[in-house]
Amino acid sequence: HGTHVAGLIAGVGKAPSWMEFPGGVAPEAKIYSYQLFDSTRGLGITDWISDEVEAIAVDLAVDAGVSVFNQSYGDYDEYGRAAIPDALLKVWRKHKKKLFVNAAGNDSMVLDPNKHEGLKNVIFVGATDSRDRMTWWSNTPGKHYKDRFMVAPGDFLPGAFSGSNSDYGYMSGTSMAAPLVTGAVALLHSRWPHLKKKPADTADILFRSATDLGKAGVDGVYGHGLLNIAQAMNPI
């Protein structure tokens, strides 16, 4: 999962030609990877290590100069609904000058039913299919988070696997859509370095340049619309 996500952000195109995977969105970006899950139990089971480890990892990345965080993971409340945990809210609010790209989740439900204010440094990302339609499993922003939401391709995306240097395959999920947005942020930060300290402005460029989908304007399903990197790289 982590290898696939990293490859979508900054992978170099060395996959077999039949996969049609030219590489990541920002192949010259530098990846900092931090372990938040423990898979030592085997059987494909992974455990969240702790909220403290997440906070420490973000602190270390900030100290290292990281300007955008890809968060292809999520949480649930006691009722099994998609939720934004307090620990994550605390991280976002502590580092207001950093931009966080968060995968919306794959549960075919609306994001956290509670309304959390002051998330100008967060982009929530849903997943579209090959026809630019919301996948049936992607979570949506609803009324509370439509202004912080956009979509990107996330269905059956080719990319790197971790078995070997020649291991590639396909994965689906908002976890695959989020890194495309993260890669776009890296491109913006590379071209206009002053944006590294302006997360709200960076997000606004992606929102305003997105291709409108669904109902006209910002809506509770697609938010601002589909990521449009070519348009985002043009001065607005």
Side-chain angles (χ1 to χ4, degrees):
H1 183 277
T3 301
H4 199 273
V5 167
L8 291 172
I9 297 172
V12 177
K14 294 183 178 180
S17 58
W18 57 265
M19 286 200 71
E20 298 183 354
F21 176 58
V25 174
E28 295 183 13
K30 186 174 183 180
I31 295 287
Y32 288 79
S33 181
Y34 298 87
Q35 183 179 355
L36 303 183
F37 293 86
D38 180 11
S39 58
T40 56
R41 288 196 300 164
L43 303 177
I45 299 173
T46 57
D47 289 320
W48 179 252
I49 298 176
S50 71
D51 294 340
E52 292 75 18
V53 166
E54 178 188 40
I56 291 171
V58 173
D59 287 345
L60 288 172
V62 169
D63 290 342
V66 171
S67 63
V68 57
F69 291 78
N70 186 84
Q71 298 176 309
S72 287
Y73 57 88
D75 203 359
Y76 304 91
D77 63 17
E78 64 271 27
Y79 303 106
R81 299 175 300 191
I84 304 171
D86 290 339
L88 188 54
L89 289 169
K90 185 176 180 180
V91 166
W92 291 341
R93 288 167 176 161
K94 178 180 179 180
H95 300 288
K96 291 185 177 180
K97 290 189 176 181
K98 301 297 180 179
L99 184 57
F100 296 86
V101 180
N102 187 263
N106 313 316
D107 309 292
S108 189
M109 62 177 65
V110 176
L111 277 173
D112 195 316
N114 300 303
K115 185 176 182 180
H116 301 289
E117 303 284 359
L119 302 181
K120 297 295 186 180
N121 61 329
V122 181
I123 300 175
F124 296 106
V125 185
T128 55
D129 61 21
S130 61
R131 297 184 180 181
D132 294 340
R133 299 178 301 188
M134 185 71 82
T135 61
W136 67 267
W137 38 261
S138 177
N139 288 352
T140 55
K143 62 181 181 180
H144 293 326
Y145 302 104
K146 64 182 183 179
D147 291 327
R148 308 305 312 163
F149 193 92
M150 67 188 307
V151 295
D155 191 31
F156 206 60
L157 295 192
F161 279 8
S162 61
S164 70
N165 287 338
S166 59
D167 189 15
Y168 292 85
Y170 298 87
M171 295 187 74
S172 297
T174 57
S175 284
M176 284 63 250
L180 303 187
V181 175
T182 301
V185 172
L187 292 177
L188 289 172
H189 285 178
S190 176
R191 185 166 180 177
W192 294 289
H194 71 280
L195 290 175
K196 292 181 179 180
K197 295 183 179 180
K198 296 180 178 292
D201 289 347
T202 305
D204 191 50
I205 290 172
L206 293 179
F207 290 152
R208 293 173 62 189
S209 62
T211 301
D212 192 22
L213 297 177
K215 294 182 179 179
V218 182
D219 65 76
V221 176
Y222 293 95
H224 290 271
L226 180 66
L227 174 68
N228 187 330
I229 296 175
Q231 185 62 28
M233 296 303 290
N234 291 322
I236 299 177

